[in-house]
Amino acid sequence: MDRHKHLQYTLRIPEDLIDKLKYIAEYNARSANREIELLVRRHIAAFEKENGVIELTPEDYAFIHKRSGSRKEEGAESTPSGLPKE
């Protein structure tokens, strides 16, 4: 992804966890942000290894944006495609 197209996301996390994350990031010669990005990439890779590659559809994007409040989309499903509805 182009460096200028990275989205910002506010993460609420307990102070003790962020302090430990910063410690690990410093130990690995990375910023805390880069450490979080690496952890997210590893989590997604593990999920996809177990469940298959995530291929987002327009309906998935509508669901994601509706849930996050970042964009109003009419007609979005109540769950992302491919996931069972509870």
Side-chain angles (χ1 to χ4, degrees):
M1 178 178 263
D2 182 67
R3 187 169 195 67
H4 295 87
K5 299 209 182 217
H6 287 165
L7 299 177
Q8 291 183 352
Y9 182 84
T10 301
L11 178 65
R12 290 182 287 277
I13 186 169
E15 187 174 2
D16 64 321
L17 291 181
I18 198 69
D19 290 343
K20 290 178 181 183
L21 177 82
K22 288 177 180 179
Y23 178 91
I24 294 168
E26 180 71 25
Y27 181 86
N28 291 323
R30 289 189 274 268
S31 67
N33 188 77
R34 189 72 173 145
E35 193 72 27
I36 291 169
E37 183 181 347
L38 177 67
L39 293 169
V40 170
R41 287 182 184 278
R42 287 180 180 168
H43 184 66
I44 290 170
F47 180 92
E48 288 183 329
K49 183 177 181 181
E50 185 174 325
N51 299 288
V53 175
I54 300 169
E55 295 182 23
L56 298 174
T57 66
E59 291 81 17
D60 294 326
Y61 284 110
F63 169 79
I64 291 164
H65 292 290
K66 181 178 180 182
R67 291 281 304 211
S68 67
S70 62
R71 185 172 55 160
K72 301 275 186 212
E73 293 287 343
E74 295 298 322
E77 295 181 14
S78 60
T79 61
S81 65
L83 295 179
K85 293 182 182 180
E86 296 179 358

